[in-house]
Amino acid sequence: MRKKVWYTAVSLAVLIVIWEAAVLLGKFPEVLFPSPAGVWSAFWQLWESGLPGSSSRVVLGTHILVSLKRFFIGYVSAVVTAVTAGLLLGWFSKVFYYINPIVQLVRPIAPVAWMPFIVLWFGIGDAPAVVIIFLAGFFPVLLSTVAAVEHMDPVYRKVARNFGLSQVQTIRKVVFPAALPQIMNSLRLALGTAWIFLVSGEMVGAQSGLGFLIIDAKNCLRSDALLATMITIGVIGLLLDWGIRRLEKLVL
Amino acid sequence: MYINVKDVSVYYTQGGGTFEALKNVSLSINQGEFVCLLGPSGCGKSTLLNLLAGFEKPTKGEILIGEKQVTAPAPKYLTIFQNYGLFPWRTVLHNVELGLEAKGMRRQARRQQALKYLEMVGLAQAKDKKPCQLSGGMQQRVAIARALAAEPEILFMDEPFGALDAITRMKLQDDILRICKEEGKTIIFVTHDIEEAVFLADRIVVMEANPGSVQRIVEVEMPHERDRTSDDFIVVRDKVFALMHLKKDKEVEYYI
């Protein structure tokens, strides 16, 4: 653990030094390539008073909370539906043979491509981000849950049948726990993907959130604020990943 | 007769041809009897066990247990698998409770019953451990306790000690014999180990491959508490060896 902190600290310090050196030696205009110090002060400005000249007078903390709220609504509902559907489809694998072609057809479509329909069907505001995060999280979790159930040790199925467990008992007491390690793994991957899509989800129609802030900073020609928001998104992504790793360890 | 296998055949079709896993097998087993199905791999002994346990269906013929045809697995007839089939996410105690949960037994009664059988297999002190913390022999003991706790009439055992080392295996053979006589269970036990069969069985069903069928049924007329080194034991063992064509005829190869 201590080693890990050390690696991280050194890595970030070196990055910042190179970055600062590049700015100083390259003599770029501040707006094209903001310096670390500039980004830091932009971050504080966003944190304390929000972006000047923005259409919304909201500070960074509120944007973060709004984004997290949308993110968790989308992600948690994706996980719940995908795991439930995955367990059932994995168990009744004949049904899955019919569903799978459709899933495979829809899966490669980038969630953002749905945007016009999403706006038409769900309106603007929180909905687009929530739906996009849902779409981004749903398919990976669904498919790995199905795969986990299909690759379950066949002896578990035999034991469950032999001891006379009902279908519901079998899914709840045998199939789900047997598939859980793989499900947890897919939850972590889906969390990362879904967080990436948050920004795209908030770029259309939203008047708040980190994705909106990206667009807002762009419109105000504030590259320092833009970078500060990007780094914020990265750090939160990192923290989310750390959180789900902890959860994984706790559950398994 | 308690268990009746009536002229059962199993065919598998593979690559256009048919493979006869079992051909015209008939067999009767009494209640409380310990029967070993013995034979080389491919003789259909595991297939026969799967049919008896209801996991597979015969292509031809029928199997009756207590006058009723076997069509599906049931908690009255439990199978012990070679790889134990314990749930790694449950503790030992919760594994043993599995069959009792399915019966809808109350938590308190469940716990008591499970502990009783864990004690019987000598693992009460390991009740809160996870299966992966136990040795193979202990895991199989847990699986046996799990089966016994559900109070089945018959235990089907599919090479249950096949993955264990020789010494652990002999200890478990002693235990299963003692427990089953105490509990009065009927046991059908699949093995390819001749000594194991001679040590355990009241009757040994010697099977042969291509097609899988019963070659001979050997009565083992020895009381239980058998001594693996006694003369009687060796006589029966030699008989089975000979049946399986494993005993070399000592032909004189040359004269001086």
Side-chain angles (χ1 to χ4, degrees), chain B residues 195 198-199 222 227-228 230-237:
Chain B
E195 298 218 7
V198 174
F199 183 73
M222 276 189 282
D227 179 352
R228 292 182 181 86
S230 72
D231 291 345
D232 288 353
F233 189 89
I234 290 163
V235 167
V236 180
R237 196 192 65 183

Side-chain angles (χ1 to χ4, degrees), chain B:
Chain B
M1 280 300 153
Y2 180 50
I3 302 176
N4 254 315
V5 179
K6 288 184 180 168
D7 201 23
V8 159
S9 300
V10 173
Y11 306 128
Y12 296 119
T13 49
Q14 45 175 215
T18 55
F19 168 70
E20 291 184 308
L22 280 178
K23 193 176 182 186
N24 303 334
V25 171
S26 293
L27 185 65
S28 301
I29 295 165
N30 291 316
Q31 197 149 19
E33 204 175 6
F34 198 128
V35 172
C36 278
L37 307 179
L38 175 70
S41 53
C43 70
K45 55 191 191 295
S46 286
T47 306
L48 181 55
L49 194 82
N50 275 329
L51 292 174
L52 286 162
F55 290 118
E56 286 181 53
K57 283 184 185 136
T59 318
K60 256 176 45 191
E62 61 172 358
I63 294 176
L64 303 174
I65 297 182
E67 308 295 318
K68 268 174 83 180
Q69 192 166 351
V70 176
T71 51
K76 275 164 87 178
Y77 322 120
L78 288 176
T79 303
I80 308 260
F81 300 95
Q82 183 176 3
N83 50 355
Y84 327 124
L86 296 176
F87 296 152
W89 57 88
R90 285 180 172 225
T91 62
V92 164
L93 185 67
H94 283 126
N95 263 292
V96 177
E97 284 181 27
L98 180 77
L100 311 175
E101 286 170 33
K103 285 181 177 175
M105 197 187 263
R106 294 223 166 194
R107 175 187 286 260
Q108 203 58 37
R110 228 160 58 197
R111 195 132 300 176
Q112 256 177 2
Q113 176 118 334
L115 271 174
K116 175 181 151 197
Y117 284 96
L118 270 178
E119 244 156 61
M120 187 177 286
V121 298
L123 280 177
Q125 81 289 351
K127 68 182 167 61
D128 295 321
K129 290 196 173 159
K130 291 279 174 74
C132 62
Q133 294 171 288
L134 304 179
S135 68
M138 288 158 108
Q139 290 189 45
Q140 194 57 292
R141 282 170 199 270
V142 175
I144 290 167
R146 176 175 72 178
L148 290 172
E151 300 183 322
E153 291 172 18
I154 306 174
L155 281 183
F156 297 112
M157 307 186 85
D158 193 0
E159 303 199 25
F161 309 146
L164 306 177
D165 67 87
I167 293 163
T168 310
R169 183 191 297 209
M170 283 189 239
K171 279 189 187 146
L172 271 160
Q173 287 166 359
D174 287 333
D175 286 351
I176 195 73
L177 212 50
R178 168 180 60 82
I179 288 168
C180 290
K181 291 300 157 192
E182 275 171 21
E183 298 275 301
K185 307 286 182 204
T186 308
I187 299 200
I188 322 293
F189 189 107
V190 165
T191 180
H192 54 240
D193 180 338
I194 295 172
E195 298 218 7
E196 185 167 68
V198 174
F199 183 73
L200 293 173
D202 297 319
R203 277 194 302 156
I204 302 171
V205 178
V206 182
M207 298 182 68
E208 57 188 357
N210 297 320
S213 51
V214 176
Q215 186 201 359
R216 186 85 76 83
I217 295 173
V218 179
E219 303 263 348
V220 184
E221 285 162 345
M222 276 189 282
H224 280 294
E225 294 294 309
R226 286 169 194 171
D227 179 352
R228 292 182 181 86
T229 55
S230 72
D231 291 345
D232 288 353
F233 189 89
I234 290 163
V235 167
V236 180
R237 196 192 65 183
D238 280 5
K239 191 169 151 189
V240 179
F241 264 101
L243 274 175
M244 296 179 78
H245 312 293
L246 288 169
K247 208 168 155 74
K248 295 223 170 65
D249 299 321
K250 285 190 185 125
E251 279 177 38
V252 180
E253 288 176 6
Y254 51 85
Y255 297 96
I256 298 174

Side-chain angles (χ1 to χ4, degrees), chain A residues 152-166 169 172-181 251-252, chain B residues 50 53-55 71-75 77-79 81 83-90 98-99 101-102 146-147 150:
Chain A
M152 187 178 83
D153 190 339
V155 79
Y156 296 159
R157 194 179 276 246
K158 277 182 144 183
V159 167
R161 275 185 79 193
N162 204 175
F163 279 94
L165 267 66
S166 68
Q169 278 178 323
R172 206 163 55 85
K173 295 188 174 184
V174 183
V175 179
F176 176 64
L180 193 60
V251 171
L252 298 182
Chain B
N50 275 329
F55 290 118
T71 51
Y77 322 120
L78 288 176
T79 303
F81 300 95
N83 50 355
Y84 327 124
L86 296 176
F87 296 152
W89 57 88
R90 285 180 172 225
L98 180 77
E101 286 170 33
R146 176 175 72 178

Side-chain angles (χ1 to χ4, degrees), chain A residues 186-231:
Chain A
S186 77
L187 292 193
R188 194 160 74 74
L189 294 176
L191 186 87
T193 324
W195 184 248
I196 289 171
F197 279 100
L198 171 89
V199 174
S200 348
E202 286 179 339
M203 280 182 170
V204 177
Q207 289 303 310
S208 58
L210 293 165
F212 163 77
L213 196 54
I214 294 269
I215 298 289
D216 208 19
K218 184 199 80 178
N219 290 342
C220 297
L221 298 176
R222 284 288 305 275
S223 55
D224 51 347
L226 183 65
L227 255 177
T229 312
M230 285 164 63
I231 292 169

